[in-house]
Amino acid sequence: MRPPAVGTDPRLRAALRRLDLKIVHRLDGLLHGEHLGLRLGPGSEAAEARLYQPGEDDVRNMDWAVTARTDAPHVRDLVADRELESWTLLDLSPSMDFGTGTRSKREVAVGAMVAANLLTQRVGDRFGAHFLHRGAIRRWPARSGKEALLSLLATVAAAPTGDVHEPDPRQATLAEALTDLARTRRRRGLRVVISDFLDTPAFGGEVAWERPLRQLSSRHQVLVVEVLDPRELDLPEVGDLPLRDPRTGRVRDVRLTRAVRRRYQEAAAAQREAVSGALRRCGVHHMQLRTDRDWVLDIARFVRHQRRTAHHLARHTPGAPR
């Protein structure tokens, strides 16, 4: 996954400009001026105002708007660490190349990664990435700025798609990629995990990635982005259909009878519930994006909901800054 030279590549620059316009400019409008940092809990933005304590508080943190409104001096605690590092684990497994909506799951996943990095760099974070690609874990160092994002985008663009080969038991799994991320990136910050989680068993069995994800969330704030395609939840009534395994390339003809479609729906629903249950047990933030939906709008709705939840908790938590 060696990236091409990006300094003078007009195509990559144009692609980044399009992503910037599509993601950040739309989010600006959709969030109506709300803080655009992606960190969703304590440390993501300035806390609510509280009374100024002479001799203890820095006057540079004075909240003049609240002070003027209340006729009492207030400060706003700056709880955001501007030197935090945000890391994204992007799953580029063969199943991510699938898509029957307006785009592939890989395109949605890359868009989500770019959105996360564009938003975190706005609050001063450096961003880096780990990729799970062709059974190998590849790392991209933490940097900041548009040139760094352009290089990251070029790295992803250079990753081949569509190559199919026999599965190798020595290849890295999502669970191993999560373990590697937790082991190598110990500095506290935001971790974004983007995957379709299709290796999750549908009817019971161990969820291999749950334990390493729980370990990751014990130290960092974690946002999980689950990417779905509608055909992974339901199949159309089309009669005989050749189905191909994206990992092995094996093709099998299946007759989509009503009974087969019903069993498929049940298995798909059970798998999604297994994913949701494991994520709840890990205590992570969970956002679901689909190839047949406006995923930028869905990101905006998610961030707005998390902001309102965080503000509500801050107002009703004893001892929280006011």
Side-chain angles (χ1 to χ4, degrees):
M1 291 179 63
R2 180 178 300 173
V6 299
T8 58
D9 192 328
R11 293 172 300 176
L12 287 172
R13 289 186 176 278
L16 182 59
R17 282 196 298 271
R18 288 194 298 271
L19 282 170
D20 195 351
L21 288 169
K22 182 175 184 178
I23 298 170
V24 174
H25 288 201
R26 282 196 64 201
L27 286 178
D28 273 330
L30 292 167
L31 296 176
H32 301 296
E34 296 180 32
H35 179 75
L36 281 182
L38 196 60
R39 277 179 270 137
L40 304 174
S44 63
E45 57 185 28
E48 294 190 5
R50 60 174 175 79
L51 284 172
Y52 170 74
Q53 301 295 324
E56 297 181 10
D57 292 324
D58 191 333
V59 295
R60 291 175 295 182
N61 296 336
M62 192 73 71
D63 190 320
W64 297 111
V66 177
T67 297
R69 188 167 63 247
T70 62
D71 291 328
H74 280 70
V75 293
R76 190 170 291 273
D77 286 326
L78 299 179
V79 296
D81 181 354
R82 300 303 178 185
E83 298 300 324
L84 289 177
E85 291 182 351
S86 297
W87 288 90
T88 298
L89 172 58
L90 178 61
D91 185 354
L92 294 177
S93 300
S95 63
M96 295 293 286
D97 295 329
F98 178 73
T100 62
T102 57
R103 56 192 60 85
S104 69
K105 290 190 293 181
R106 177 171 173 150
E107 290 172 318
V108 174
V110 171
M113 179 192 69
V114 173
N117 291 338
L118 284 169
L119 294 179
T120 53
Q121 71 173 314
R122 282 195 165 196
V123 295
D125 286 5
R126 296 192 305 160
F127 53 87
H130 285 207
F131 307 104
L132 180 60
H133 180 253
R134 287 184 169 180
I137 302 168
R138 308 180 189 275
R139 307 181 183 97
W140 193 88
R143 301 172 185 169
S144 61
K146 282 291 183 70
E147 288 299 320
L149 184 56
L150 186 64
S151 179
L152 175 59
L153 187 61
T155 299
V156 177
T161 64
D163 287 345
V164 177
H165 50 274
E166 289 294 326
D168 186 338
R170 296 170 298 178
Q171 289 185 342
T173 63
L174 178 61
E176 291 167 336
L178 287 165
T179 300
D180 179 74
L181 180 62
R183 178 180 58 83
T184 59
R185 312 300 177 187
R186 300 189 61 81
R187 188 175 184 180
R188 292 182 184 273
L190 174 68
R191 302 294 181 263
V192 181
V193 180
I194 307 174
S195 177
D196 56 10
F197 298 95
L198 282 187
D199 59 349
T200 305
F203 299 106
E206 180 184 3
V207 180
W209 48 263
E210 181 177 347
R211 182 176 180 182
L213 183 60
R214 186 184 299 116
Q215 292 172 340
L216 188 69
S217 65
S218 68
R219 183 174 180 85
H220 308 282
Q221 187 179 60
V222 178
L223 168 63
V224 170
V225 181
E226 179 188 9
V227 184
L228 293 176
D229 185 88
R231 291 286 77 84
E232 294 168 341
L233 305 176
D234 190 12
L235 292 174
E237 295 186 42
V238 294
D240 294 339
L241 182 70
L243 298 179
R244 183 173 66 89
D245 187 326
R247 292 192 308 129
T248 65
R250 296 172 182 169
V251 178
R252 180 175 180 178
D253 292 326
V254 177
R255 175 162 294 180
L256 297 181
T257 64
R258 183 173 300 178
V260 170
R261 292 184 63 239
R262 184 178 64 252
R263 289 198 299 270
Y264 182 92
Q265 292 168 356
E266 292 171 352
Q271 184 182 56
R272 291 305 106 192
E273 180 54 37
V275 171
S276 297
L279 295 179
R280 286 193 298 270
R281 290 191 294 272
C282 291
V284 301
H285 297 281
H286 178 202
M287 175 168 58
Q288 192 177 90
L289 301 179
R290 292 174 52 127
T291 62
D292 60 341
R293 288 177 55 92
D294 184 341
W295 55 271
V296 178
L297 179 60
D298 287 341
I299 290 176
R301 286 171 173 164
F302 175 83
V303 173
R304 188 162 50 209
H305 173 74
Q306 294 296 329
R307 292 280 171 235
R308 290 172 178 170
T309 301
H311 293 164
H312 176 79
L313 291 176
R315 285 195 299 269
H316 294 86
T317 300
R322 300 295 180 186

